[in-house]
Amino acid sequence: LPMFYVESRAGDPPFVDQLFSFDEAVLRKHAPMVDDFEARLRRTEVRTTTLAGLVAAHDLDHVDVLHVDAEGHDAAILEQIDFGAPWAPRFVVFEAKHLSPERLRTTTRMLRRAGYRMFPIWHDAFAYRDRPRRSGRQGAGRLGASTT
């Protein structure tokens, strides 16, 4: 999957070395704050996986907290998750700042249908629910997954 970033250099604002996104348009919003933005914008290919793939690869039976900060790609990541799975996260934090109002409403509805309660936290959204009934093995591994 293509990922976009801005090469950092001495004298940059402190956030520049954190500018990475699957959505080039999100990075372009920062152009007025970065000298020579166009000349420093880069694209690279990165390997990706789904949360279900990560859970299976590590033989987990649940995820306590999922924190997604994917610079505008958060909703697309959350839409891939089966929130009815026995390992589904109890707590979800995602960056709402770069989502359009409609995309945020759609994501909020999806999480509420899955039984989450939600409230905003600065540029993020926090969703939580009582742990759904789990099926499967007890005592398997645990993971607090974070995608940043």
Side-chain angles (χ1 to χ4, degrees):
L1 193 61
M3 169 149 315
F4 301 90
Y5 67 98
V6 177
E7 280 188 344
S8 62
R9 64 182 178 201
D12 276 340
F15 64 85
V16 173
D17 63 352
Q18 300 172 33
L19 290 177
F20 291 83
S21 182
F22 293 112
D23 185 347
E24 184 179 354
V26 169
L27 287 189
R28 289 190 176 283
K29 292 178 184 177
H30 297 88
M33 297 171 276
V34 179
D35 292 336
D36 300 323
F37 178 87
E38 290 297 328
R40 297 165 57 194
L41 182 63
R42 299 288 183 266
R43 175 188 166 138
T44 189
E45 292 292 320
V46 295
R47 268 185 324 137
T48 61
T49 188
T50 63
L51 182 58
L54 186 63
V55 166
H58 293 278
D59 196 27
L60 305 177
D61 69 352
H62 71 281
V63 175
D64 292 318
V65 178
L66 174 66
H67 184 187
V68 181
D69 184 348
E71 300 302 313
H73 208 67
D74 305 60
I77 291 169
L78 294 172
E79 289 165 358
Q80 296 176 33
I81 297 172
D82 175 3
F83 288 103
W87 53 260
R90 182 168 179 204
F91 302 98
V92 177
V93 180
F94 66 95
E95 188 178 38
K97 174 182 174 178
H98 297 299
L99 300 180
S100 70
E102 179 56 32
R103 194 76 189 263
L104 180 57
R105 279 191 297 275
T106 301
T107 303
T108 299
R109 280 193 300 265
M110 174 189 70
L111 288 165
R112 286 189 174 144
R113 279 194 309 269
Y116 289 87
R117 294 179 199 108
M118 297 191 56
F119 60 92
I121 304 174
W122 198 43
H123 295 302
D124 294 338
F126 177 76
Y128 68 97
R129 67 179 178 181
D130 293 331
R131 173 141 324 271
R133 289 187 190 144
R134 295 188 322 191
S135 60
R137 308 175 323 281
Q138 295 296 317
R142 299 172 72 148
L143 173 72
S146 177
T147 57
T148 57

